[in-house]
Coordinates of all heavy atoms in Angstrom, one line a residue:
M43 N 65.2 -161.6 -113.8 CA 64.0 -161.5 -114.6 C 64.3 -161.5 -116.1 O 63.4 -161.9 -116.9 CB 63.3 -160.1 -114.2 CG 61.9 -160.0 -114.6 SD 61.0 -158.7 -113.8 CE 60.7 -159.4 -112.1
S44 N 65.5 -161.1 -116.4 CA 65.8 -161.1 -117.9 C 65.9 -162.5 -118.4 O 65.9 -162.8 -119.6 CB 67.1 -160.4 -118.1 OG 68.2 -161.0 -117.3
E45 N 66.0 -163.5 -117.5 CA 66.1 -164.9 -117.9 C 64.8 -165.5 -118.3 O 64.7 -166.5 -119.0 CB 66.7 -165.8 -116.8 CG 68.1 -165.4 -116.5 CD 69.1 -165.5 -117.7 OE1 69.1 -166.5 -118.4 OE2 69.8 -164.5 -117.9
Q46 N 63.7 -164.8 -117.9 CA 62.4 -165.3 -118.2 C 62.0 -165.1 -119.7 O 62.2 -164.0 -120.2 CB 61.3 -164.7 -117.3 CG 61.4 -165.2 -115.9 CD 60.3 -164.6 -115.0 OE1 60.5 -163.5 -114.5 NE2 59.2 -165.3 -114.9
R47 N 61.4 -166.1 -120.3 CA 61.0 -166.0 -121.7 C 59.6 -166.3 -121.9 O 59.0 -167.1 -121.1 CB 61.9 -167.0 -122.5 CG 63.3 -166.7 -122.6 CD 63.6 -165.8 -123.8 NE 64.9 -165.1 -123.6 CZ 65.4 -164.3 -124.6 NH1 64.7 -164.1 -125.7 NH2 66.5 -163.7 -124.4
C48 N 59.0 -165.8 -122.9 CA 57.6 -166.1 -123.3 C 57.4 -167.6 -123.5 O 58.2 -168.2 -124.2 CB 57.2 -165.3 -124.5 SG 55.5 -165.6 -125.1
M49 N 56.3 -168.1 -122.9 CA 56.1 -169.6 -123.0 C 55.5 -169.9 -124.4 O 55.5 -171.0 -124.8 CB 55.1 -170.0 -122.0 CG 55.7 -170.2 -120.6 SD 54.7 -170.9 -119.4 CE 53.7 -169.5 -118.9
I50 N 55.0 -168.9 -125.1 CA 54.4 -169.1 -126.5 C 55.5 -169.0 -127.6 O 55.6 -169.9 -128.4 CB 53.3 -168.2 -126.7 CG1 52.1 -168.4 -125.7 CG2 52.8 -168.3 -128.2 CD1 51.1 -167.4 -125.7
C51 N 56.2 -167.9 -127.5 CA 57.1 -167.6 -128.7 C 58.6 -167.5 -128.3 O 59.4 -167.2 -129.1 CB 56.7 -166.4 -129.4 SG 57.0 -164.9 -128.5
Q52 N 58.9 -167.7 -127.0 CA 60.2 -167.5 -126.4 C 60.8 -166.1 -126.5 O 62.0 -165.9 -126.4 CB 61.2 -168.5 -127.2 CG 60.8 -170.0 -127.1 CD 60.7 -170.5 -125.7 OE1 61.5 -170.3 -124.9 NE2 59.5 -171.1 -125.4
G53 N 59.9 -165.2 -126.7 CA 60.3 -163.8 -126.8 C 60.8 -163.2 -125.5 O 60.5 -163.8 -124.4
E54 N 61.4 -162.1 -125.5 CA 61.9 -161.4 -124.3 C 60.7 -160.8 -123.5 O 59.9 -160.1 -124.1 CB 62.9 -160.4 -124.7 CG 63.9 -160.0 -123.6 CD 64.9 -159.0 -124.1 OE1 65.4 -159.2 -125.2 OE2 65.3 -158.1 -123.4
L55 N 60.7 -160.9 -122.2 CA 59.7 -160.3 -121.4 C 60.1 -159.0 -120.8 O 61.3 -158.9 -120.4 CB 59.2 -161.3 -120.3 CG 58.7 -162.6 -120.7 CD1 58.3 -163.5 -119.5 CD2 57.5 -162.4 -121.7
E56 N 59.2 -158.1 -120.7 CA 59.5 -156.7 -120.2 C 58.5 -156.4 -119.2 O 57.3 -156.5 -119.4 CB 59.5 -155.7 -121.4 CG 59.7 -154.3 -121.1 CD 59.7 -153.4 -122.3 OE1 58.6 -153.4 -122.9 OE2 60.7 -152.8 -122.6
L57 N 58.9 -155.8 -118.1 CA 58.0 -155.4 -117.0 C 57.3 -154.1 -117.4 O 58.0 -153.1 -117.7 CB 58.8 -155.2 -115.7 CG 57.9 -154.9 -114.5 CD1 56.9 -156.1 -114.2 CD2 58.7 -154.6 -113.3
Q58 N 56.0 -154.2 -117.5 CA 55.2 -153.0 -117.9 C 54.0 -152.9 -116.9 O 53.7 -153.8 -116.1 CB 54.6 -153.2 -119.3 CG 55.6 -153.2 -120.4 CD 55.0 -153.2 -121.7 OE1 53.7 -153.2 -121.9 NE2 55.8 -153.4 -122.8
R59 N 53.4 -151.7 -116.9 CA 52.1 -151.5 -116.2 C 51.0 -151.6 -117.2 O 51.0 -150.9 -118.1 CB 52.1 -150.2 -115.4 CG 53.1 -150.3 -114.2 CD 53.0 -149.2 -113.2 NE 53.9 -149.4 -112.1 CZ 53.5 -149.9 -110.9 NH1 52.2 -150.3 -110.8 NH2 54.3 -150.1 -110.0
V60 N 50.0 -152.5 -116.9 CA 48.9 -152.8 -117.9 C 47.6 -152.6 -117.2 O 47.5 -152.4 -116.0 CB 49.0 -154.2 -118.4 CG1 50.4 -154.5 -119.0 CG2 48.8 -155.2 -117.3
T61 N 46.6 -152.5 -118.1 CA 45.2 -152.5 -117.6 C 44.6 -153.8 -117.7 O 44.6 -154.4 -118.8 CB 44.4 -151.4 -118.4 OG1 45.0 -150.1 -118.2 CG2 42.9 -151.4 -117.9
R62 N 44.0 -154.4 -116.7 CA 43.5 -155.7 -116.7 C 42.0 -155.7 -116.3 O 41.6 -155.1 -115.3 CB 44.2 -156.6 -115.7 CG 43.7 -158.0 -115.6 CD 44.5 -158.8 -114.7 NE 44.0 -160.2 -114.5 CZ 44.5 -161.2 -113.8 NH1 45.6 -160.9 -113.1 NH2 44.0 -162.3 -113.7
A63 N 41.2 -156.3 -117.2 CA 39.8 -156.5 -116.8 C 39.6 -157.9 -116.2 O 40.2 -158.9 -116.7 CB 38.9 -156.4 -118.1
Q64 N 38.8 -158.0 -115.2 CA 38.8 -159.3 -114.4 C 37.3 -159.5 -113.9 O 36.7 -158.5 -113.4 CB 39.7 -159.2 -113.2 CG 39.6 -160.2 -112.2 CD 40.4 -161.5 -112.6 OE1 41.6 -161.3 -113.0 NE2 39.8 -162.6 -112.5
E65 N 36.8 -160.6 -114.2 CA 35.5 -161.0 -113.6 C 35.6 -161.5 -112.2 O 36.5 -162.4 -112.0 CB 34.7 -162.0 -114.5 CG 33.3 -162.1 -114.1 CD 32.5 -163.1 -115.0 OE1 33.2 -163.8 -115.8 OE2 31.3 -163.0 -115.0
Y66 N 34.9 -161.0 -111.3 CA 35.0 -161.5 -109.9 C 33.6 -161.6 -109.3 O 32.9 -160.6 -109.2 CB 35.8 -160.5 -109.1 CG 36.0 -160.9 -107.7 CD1 36.8 -162.0 -107.3 CD2 35.3 -160.3 -106.6 CE1 37.0 -162.4 -106.0 CE2 35.4 -160.7 -105.3 CZ 36.3 -161.8 -105.0 OH 36.4 -162.2 -103.7
E67 N 33.2 -162.8 -109.0 CA 31.9 -163.1 -108.4 C 30.7 -162.4 -109.2 O 29.9 -161.7 -108.6 CB 31.9 -162.7 -106.9 CG 32.8 -163.6 -106.1 CD 32.7 -163.3 -104.6 OE1 32.2 -162.3 -104.2 OE2 33.3 -164.2 -103.9
G68 N 30.8 -162.5 -110.5 CA 29.7 -162.0 -111.3 C 29.8 -160.5 -111.7 O 28.9 -160.0 -112.4
R69 N 30.8 -159.8 -111.3 CA 30.9 -158.4 -111.7 C 32.3 -158.2 -112.3 O 33.2 -159.0 -112.0 CB 30.7 -157.5 -110.5 CG 31.8 -157.5 -109.5 CD 31.4 -156.8 -108.2 NE 32.4 -157.1 -107.2 CZ 33.3 -156.2 -106.7 NH1 33.4 -155.0 -107.2 NH2 34.1 -156.6 -105.8
W70 N 32.3 -157.3 -113.2 CA 33.6 -157.0 -113.9 C 34.3 -155.8 -113.2 O 33.6 -154.8 -112.9 CB 33.4 -156.7 -115.4 CG 33.2 -158.0 -116.2 CD1 32.1 -158.6 -116.5 CD2 34.3 -158.7 -116.7 NE1 32.4 -159.7 -117.2 CE2 33.7 -159.9 -117.3 CE3 35.7 -158.6 -116.7 CZ2 34.4 -160.8 -118.0 CZ3 36.4 -159.6 -117.4 CH2 35.8 -160.7 -118.0
V71 N 35.6 -156.0 -113.0 CA 36.3 -154.9 -112.5 C 37.5 -154.6 -113.4 O 38.0 -155.5 -114.1 CB 36.8 -155.1 -111.0 CG1 35.7 -155.3 -110.1 CG2 37.7 -156.4 -111.0
V72 N 38.0 -153.4 -113.4 CA 39.2 -153.1 -114.2 C 40.3 -152.6 -113.2 O 40.0 -151.8 -112.4 CB 38.9 -152.0 -115.2 CG1 40.1 -151.5 -116.0 CG2 37.8 -152.5 -116.2
I73 N 41.5 -153.1 -113.4 CA 42.6 -152.7 -112.6 C 43.6 -152.0 -113.5 O 44.1 -152.7 -114.5 CB 43.3 -153.9 -111.8 CG1 42.2 -154.6 -110.9 CG2 44.5 -153.4 -111.0 CD1 41.6 -155.8 -111.5
E74 N 43.9 -150.8 -113.2 CA 44.9 -150.0 -114.0 C 46.2 -150.1 -113.4 O 46.4 -150.2 -112.2 CB 44.4 -148.6 -114.2 CG 43.1 -148.5 -115.0 CD 42.7 -147.0 -115.2 OE1 42.9 -146.2 -114.2 OE2 42.2 -146.7 -116.3
N75 N 47.3 -149.9 -114.2 CA 48.6 -149.8 -113.7 C 49.1 -151.1 -112.9 O 49.9 -151.0 -112.0 CB 48.8 -148.6 -112.9 CG 48.6 -147.3 -113.7 OD1 49.1 -147.2 -114.8 ND2 47.8 -146.4 -113.1
L76 N 48.6 -152.2 -113.4 CA 49.0 -153.5 -112.7 C 50.3 -153.9 -113.4 O 50.5 -154.0 -114.6 CB 47.9 -154.5 -113.0 CG 48.1 -155.9 -112.3 CD1 48.0 -155.7 -110.8 CD2 47.1 -156.9 -112.8
P77 N 51.3 -154.2 -112.5 CA 52.6 -154.7 -113.1 C 52.4 -156.1 -113.7 O 51.8 -157.0 -113.2 CB 53.5 -154.8 -111.9 CG 52.8 -154.2 -110.7 CD 51.4 -154.2 -111.1
A78 N 53.0 -156.2 -114.9 CA 52.9 -157.5 -115.6 C 54.2 -157.7 -116.5 O 54.7 -156.7 -116.9 CB 51.7 -157.6 -116.5
L79 N 54.5 -158.9 -116.8 CA 55.6 -159.1 -117.7 C 55.0 -159.3 -119.1 O 54.1 -160.2 -119.3 CB 56.4 -160.4 -117.3 CG 57.2 -160.3 -116.0 CD1 57.7 -161.6 -115.6 CD2 58.4 -159.3 -116.2
V80 N 55.4 -158.5 -120.0 CA 54.7 -158.5 -121.4 C 55.8 -158.9 -122.4 O 56.9 -158.4 -122.4 CB 54.2 -157.1 -121.7 CG1 53.5 -157.1 -123.1 CG2 53.2 -156.6 -120.6
C81 N 55.4 -159.9 -123.3 CA 56.3 -160.4 -124.3 C 56.5 -159.3 -125.4 O 55.5 -158.7 -125.9 CB 55.7 -161.6 -124.9 SG 56.7 -162.2 -126.3
R82 N 57.7 -159.0 -125.7 CA 58.1 -158.0 -126.7 C 57.6 -158.4 -128.1 O 57.5 -157.6 -129.0 CB 59.6 -157.7 -126.7 CG 60.1 -156.9 -125.5 CD 61.6 -156.9 -125.5 NE 62.1 -156.3 -124.3 CZ 62.7 -155.1 -124.2 NH1 62.7 -154.3 -125.3 NH2 63.1 -154.6 -123.1
Q83 N 57.5 -159.7 -128.3 CA 57.2 -160.2 -129.6 C 55.7 -160.4 -129.9 O 55.1 -159.9 -130.8 CB 57.9 -161.5 -129.9 CG 59.4 -161.4 -130.1 CD 60.0 -162.7 -130.7 OE1 59.8 -163.0 -131.8 NE2 60.7 -163.4 -129.8
C84 N 55.0 -161.1 -129.0 CA 53.6 -161.4 -129.2 C 52.6 -160.7 -128.3 O 51.4 -160.8 -128.5 CB 53.4 -163.0 -129.2 SG 53.4 -163.6 -127.5
G85 N 53.2 -160.0 -127.3 CA 52.3 -159.3 -126.4 C 51.6 -160.0 -125.3 O 50.8 -159.5 -124.6
E86 N 51.9 -161.3 -125.2 CA 51.3 -162.1 -124.2 C 51.7 -161.6 -122.8 O 52.9 -161.1 -122.6 CB 51.8 -163.6 -124.3 CG 51.2 -164.5 -123.3 CD 49.8 -164.9 -123.5 OE1 49.2 -164.5 -124.5 OE2 49.2 -165.4 -122.6
R87 N 50.8 -161.6 -121.9 CA 51.0 -161.0 -120.5 C 51.2 -162.1 -119.5 O 50.4 -163.1 -119.5 CB 49.9 -160.1 -120.1 CG 49.7 -158.9 -120.9 CD 48.4 -158.3 -120.5 NE 48.2 -157.0 -121.2 CZ 47.1 -156.2 -120.9 NH1 46.3 -156.5 -120.0 NH2 47.0 -155.1 -121.5
Y88 N 52.1 -161.9 -118.6 CA 52.3 -162.9 -117.5 C 52.2 -162.1 -116.2 O 53.0 -161.1 -116.0 CB 53.6 -163.6 -117.6 CG 53.7 -164.4 -118.9 CD1 54.3 -163.8 -120.0 CD2 53.3 -165.7 -118.9 CE1 54.3 -164.6 -121.2 CE2 53.3 -166.5 -120.1 CZ 53.9 -165.9 -121.2 OH 53.9 -166.6 -122.4
Y89 N 51.3 -162.5 -115.3 CA 51.2 -161.8 -114.1 C 52.0 -162.5 -113.0 O 51.9 -163.7 -112.9 CB 49.7 -161.7 -113.7 CG 48.9 -161.0 -114.7 CD1 48.1 -161.6 -115.6 CD2 48.9 -159.6 -114.7 CE1 47.4 -160.9 -116.6 CE2 48.2 -158.9 -115.6 CZ 47.4 -159.5 -116.6 OH 46.7 -158.8 -117.5
T90 N 52.7 -161.7 -112.2 CA 53.5 -162.3 -111.1 C 52.5 -162.7 -110.0 O 51.4 -162.2 -109.9 CB 54.5 -161.3 -110.6 OG1 53.7 -160.2 -110.0 CG2 55.4 -160.7 -111.7
P91 N 52.9 -163.6 -109.1 CA 52.1 -163.9 -107.9 C 51.8 -162.7 -107.1 O 50.6 -162.6 -106.6 CB 53.0 -164.9 -107.2 CG 53.9 -165.5 -108.2 CD 54.1 -164.4 -109.2
D92 N 52.7 -161.8 -107.0 CA 52.4 -160.5 -106.3 C 51.3 -159.7 -106.9 O 50.4 -159.2 -106.2 CB 53.7 -159.6 -106.2 CG 54.6 -160.1 -105.2 OD1 54.3 -161.0 -104.4 OD2 55.7 -159.5 -105.1
A93 N 51.3 -159.7 -108.2 CA 50.2 -158.9 -109.0 C 48.9 -159.6 -108.8 O 47.9 -158.9 -108.6 CB 50.6 -158.8 -110.4
H94 N 48.9 -160.9 -108.8 CA 47.6 -161.7 -108.6 C 47.1 -161.4 -107.2 O 45.9 -161.1 -107.0 CB 47.9 -163.2 -108.7 CG 46.7 -164.0 -108.5 ND1 45.6 -164.1 -109.4 CD2 46.3 -164.7 -107.4 CE1 44.7 -164.8 -108.9 NE2 45.0 -165.2 -107.7
D95 N 48.0 -161.4 -106.2 CA 47.5 -161.1 -104.8 C 47.0 -159.7 -104.7 O 46.0 -159.4 -104.0 CB 48.7 -161.3 -103.8 CG 49.1 -162.7 -103.7 OD1 48.4 -163.6 -104.1 OD2 50.2 -163.0 -103.1
L96 N 47.6 -158.8 -105.4 CA 47.2 -157.4 -105.4 C 45.8 -157.2 -106.0 O 44.9 -156.5 -105.4 CB 48.2 -156.5 -106.2 CG 48.0 -155.0 -106.2 CD1 48.0 -154.4 -104.8 CD2 49.1 -154.4 -107.1
V97 N 45.5 -157.9 -107.1 CA 44.2 -157.9 -107.7 C 43.1 -158.4 -106.7 O 42.1 -157.8 -106.5 CB 44.2 -158.7 -109.0 CG1 42.7 -158.9 -109.5 CG2 45.0 -158.0 -110.1
V98 N 43.4 -159.5 -106.1 CA 42.5 -160.1 -105.1 C 42.2 -159.2 -104.0 O 41.1 -158.9 -103.6 CB 43.0 -161.5 -104.6 CG1 42.1 -162.0 -103.5 CG2 43.0 -162.5 -105.8
A99 N 43.3 -158.6 -103.4 CA 43.1 -157.6 -102.3 C 42.3 -156.4 -102.7 O 41.4 -156.0 -102.0 CB 44.5 -157.2 -101.8
L100 N 42.5 -155.9 -103.9 CA 41.8 -154.7 -104.4 C 40.3 -155.0 -104.5 O 39.4 -154.3 -104.1 CB 42.4 -154.2 -105.7 CG 43.7 -153.5 -105.6 CD1 44.3 -153.3 -107.0 CD2 43.6 -152.2 -104.9
I101 N 40.0 -156.1 -105.3 CA 38.6 -156.4 -105.6 C 37.8 -157.0 -104.4 O 36.6 -157.0 -104.4 CB 38.4 -157.2 -106.8 CG1 39.0 -158.6 -106.7 CG2 39.0 -156.5 -108.0 CD1 39.0 -159.4 -108.0
Q102 N 38.5 -157.4 -103.4 CA 37.8 -157.9 -102.2 C 37.6 -156.8 -101.2 O 37.1 -157.0 -100.1 CB 38.6 -159.0 -101.5 CG 38.5 -160.4 -102.2 CD 39.2 -161.5 -101.6 OE1 40.1 -161.3 -100.7 NE2 38.8 -162.7 -101.9
G103 N 37.9 -155.6 -101.6 CA 37.5 -154.4 -100.8 C 38.5 -153.7 -100.0 O 38.3 -152.9 -99.2
H104 N 39.8 -154.1 -100.3 CA 40.9 -153.5 -99.5 C 41.3 -152.2 -100.2 O 42.3 -151.5 -99.7 CB 42.0 -154.4 -99.3 CG 41.7 -155.7 -98.6 ND1 41.5 -155.7 -97.2 CD2 41.4 -156.9 -99.0 CE1 41.1 -156.9 -96.8 NE2 41.0 -157.7 -97.9
G105 N 40.7 -151.9 -101.3 CA 41.0 -150.6 -101.9 C 39.7 -150.0 -102.4 O 38.7 -150.7 -102.5
S106 N 39.6 -148.7 -102.6 CA 38.4 -148.1 -103.1 C 38.6 -147.7 -104.6 O 39.7 -147.3 -104.9 CB 38.0 -146.9 -102.3 OG 39.1 -146.0 -102.2
P107 N 37.6 -147.9 -105.4 CA 37.8 -147.6 -106.8 C 38.2 -146.2 -107.1 O 37.7 -145.2 -106.4 CB 36.4 -147.9 -107.4 CG 35.7 -148.7 -106.4 CD 36.2 -148.3 -105.1
A108 N 39.1 -146.0 -108.1 CA 39.5 -144.7 -108.5 C 38.4 -143.9 -109.1 O 38.2 -142.7 -109.0 CB 40.7 -144.8 -109.4
R109 N 37.6 -144.7 -109.9 CA 36.3 -144.1 -110.5 C 35.5 -145.3 -110.9 O 35.9 -146.4 -110.9 CB 36.7 -143.2 -111.7 CG 37.4 -144.0 -112.8 CD 37.8 -143.1 -114.0 NE 38.2 -143.8 -115.1 CZ 39.5 -144.4 -115.2 NH1 40.3 -144.2 -114.2 NH2 39.8 -145.0 -116.3
T110 N 34.3 -145.0 -111.3 CA 33.4 -146.1 -111.8 C 33.0 -145.8 -113.3 O 32.7 -144.6 -113.6 CB 32.1 -146.1 -110.9 OG1 32.5 -146.3 -109.6 CG2 31.1 -147.2 -111.4
E111 N 33.1 -146.8 -114.1 CA 32.7 -146.7 -115.5 C 31.5 -147.6 -115.8 O 31.3 -148.6 -115.2 CB 33.9 -147.2 -116.4 CG 35.2 -146.5 -116.2 CD 35.4 -145.3 -117.1 OE1 34.5 -145.0 -117.8 OE2 36.5 -144.7 -117.0
T112 N 30.8 -147.2 -116.8 CA 29.7 -148.0 -117.3 C 30.2 -148.8 -118.5 O 30.9 -148.3 -119.4 CB 28.5 -147.2 -117.8 OG1 28.0 -146.4 -116.7 CG2 27.3 -148.1 -118.2
I113 N 30.0 -150.1 -118.5 CA 30.6 -151.0 -119.5 C 29.5 -151.5 -120.4 O 28.5 -152.0 -119.9 CB 31.4 -152.2 -118.9 CG1 32.5 -151.7 -118.0 CG2 31.9 -153.1 -120.0 CD1 33.3 -152.8 -117.3
E114 N 29.6 -151.5 -121.7 CA 28.7 -152.0 -122.6 C 29.0 -153.5 -122.8 O 30.2 -153.9 -123.1 CB 28.8 -151.3 -124.0 CG 28.3 -149.9 -123.9 CD 28.4 -149.2 -125.3 OE1 28.6 -149.8 -126.3 OE2 28.2 -147.9 -125.3
V115 N 28.0 -154.3 -122.7 CA 28.2 -155.8 -122.9 C 27.4 -156.3 -124.1 O 26.2 -156.0 -124.2 CB 27.7 -156.5 -121.6 CG1 27.9 -158.0 -121.8 CG2 28.4 -156.0 -120.3
Y116 N 28.1 -156.9 -125.0 CA 27.5 -157.4 -126.2 C 27.5 -159.0 -126.2 O 28.4 -159.6 -125.7 CB 28.2 -157.0 -127.4 CG 28.2 -155.5 -127.6 CD1 29.2 -154.7 -127.1 CD2 27.2 -154.9 -128.4 CE1 29.1 -153.3 -127.2 CE2 27.1 -153.5 -128.5 CZ 28.1 -152.7 -128.0 OH 28.1 -151.4 -128.1
D117 N 26.4 -159.5 -126.7 CA 26.3 -161.0 -126.8 C 26.4 -161.4 -128.2 O 25.6 -161.2 -129.1 CB 24.9 -161.4 -126.3 CG 24.7 -162.9 -126.3 OD1 25.6 -163.6 -126.7 OD2 23.6 -163.4 -125.8
A118 N 27.6 -162.1 -128.5 CA 27.9 -162.5 -129.9 C 26.9 -163.5 -130.4 O 26.7 -163.7 -131.6 CB 29.3 -163.0 -130.0
A119 N 26.3 -164.3 -129.5 CA 25.3 -165.3 -129.9 C 24.0 -164.7 -130.5 O 23.2 -165.4 -131.1 CB 25.0 -166.2 -128.7
R120 N 23.8 -163.4 -130.2 CA 22.6 -162.8 -130.6 C 22.7 -162.1 -132.0 O 21.8 -161.5 -132.5 CB 22.1 -161.8 -129.6 CG 21.6 -162.4 -128.3 CD 21.3 -161.4 -127.2 NE 20.2 -160.5 -127.7 CZ 19.8 -159.5 -127.0 NH1 20.4 -159.1 -125.9 NH2 18.8 -158.7 -127.4
V121 N 23.9 -162.1 -132.6 CA 24.1 -161.5 -133.9 C 23.5 -162.5 -134.9 O 23.8 -163.6 -135.0 CB 25.6 -161.3 -134.2 CG1 25.8 -160.7 -135.6 CG2 26.2 -160.4 -133.1
A122 N 22.6 -161.9 -135.7 CA 21.9 -162.8 -136.7 C 22.8 -163.2 -137.8 O 23.7 -162.5 -138.2 CB 20.7 -162.0 -137.3
Ligands
ZN203 ZN1 55.6 -164.2 -126.9

């Protein structure tokens, strides 16, 4: 894993747990503590195939939400 480099800046990648917001079939879900490789230099995140499978499993109903939040949605096109 130490051989993997950032595709943008060639920085070193570090395994971290991150919070990811994801749109799925018209609704937004948030996944906390998702493992991802994060670039130490630019902060770009790379999700492993395992992490992707985990997200799909969770939002397709194989897990129950830890809690429910209300999210404010803004439309930038409506700013005068
Ligand atoms: Zn980078």
Side-chain angles (χ1 to χ4, degrees):
M43 197 163 284
S44 58
E45 297 302 311
Q46 288 182 276
R47 292 273 163 175
C48 178
M49 285 188 278
I50 294 170
C51 74
Q52 304 302 310
E54 201 174 320
L55 299 181
E56 179 180 60
L57 187 63
Q58 293 184 7
R59 288 192 177 263
V60 304
T61 299
R62 177 178 178 178
Q64 170 84 45
E65 191 177 15
Y66 180 75
E67 293 184 347
R69 69 193 169 105
W70 279 93
V71 297
V72 175
I73 300 99
E74 293 181 323
N75 298 313
L76 186 68
L79 292 168
V80 182
C81 176
R82 287 173 188 254
Q83 288 193 72
C84 75
E86 183 71 11
R87 294 172 177 184
Y88 299 91
Y89 298 101
T90 65
D92 281 355
H94 179 77
D95 291 347
L96 184 58
V97 168
V98 171
L100 286 170
I101 62 185
Q102 283 183 342
H104 298 285
S106 52
R109 64 182 187 282
T110 301
E111 303 269 4
T112 302
I113 302 176
E114 294 181 9
V115 180
Y116 295 91
D117 183 354
R120 291 176 61 188
V121 178

